[in-house]
């Protein structure tokens, strides 16, 4: 419970300004690295998505993109 293997974050920065949004992203990335967690972030913000290792885009219920950004 204190260090889950998978963290789901649905629009974690949706109502934040850009400075606080980046701080949240950095905290999530730190948690991912420190605890070796799988982090799943659902976002409409392309800038946040581009910081991920992999992007899966879904449109109208279908996967339209599945791309590994960093290995």
């Amino acid at each position: 419970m204190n260090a889950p293997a998978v963290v789901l974050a649905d629009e974690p920065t949706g109502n934040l300004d850009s400075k606080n949004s980046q701080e949240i992203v950095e905290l999530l990335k730190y948690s991912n690295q420190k605890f070796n967690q799988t982090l799943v972030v659902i976002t409409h913000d392309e800038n946040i998505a581009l910081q991920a290792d992999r992007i899966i885009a879904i449109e109208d219920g279908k996967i339209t993109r599945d791309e590994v950004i960093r290995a």
Side-chain angles (χ1 to χ4, degrees):
M1 181 170 183
N2 291 329
V6 178
V7 175
L8 303 175
D10 185 7
E11 293 287 353
T13 63
N15 293 320
L16 301 176
D17 59 48
S18 60
K19 179 180 181 277
N20 286 311
S21 291
Q22 191 57 42
E23 286 184 25
I24 293 298
V25 170
E26 294 302 323
L27 286 171
L28 290 169
K29 288 165 49 176
Y30 173 77
S31 178
N32 163 259
Q33 293 169 357
K34 181 174 181 175
F35 300 110
N36 197 31
Q37 297 168 317
T38 298
L39 180 59
V40 179
V41 178
I42 295 85
T43 185
H44 290 93
D45 187 332
E46 187 174 358
N47 292 325
I48 291 172
L50 290 173
Q51 295 181 58
D53 296 333
R54 180 178 179 188
I55 297 175
I56 300 172
I58 300 173
E59 294 178 22
D60 299 325
K62 295 182 181 173
I63 295 174
T64 59
R65 176 181 174 193
D66 186 350
E67 180 180 354
V68 174
I69 306 299
R70 295 167 208 55

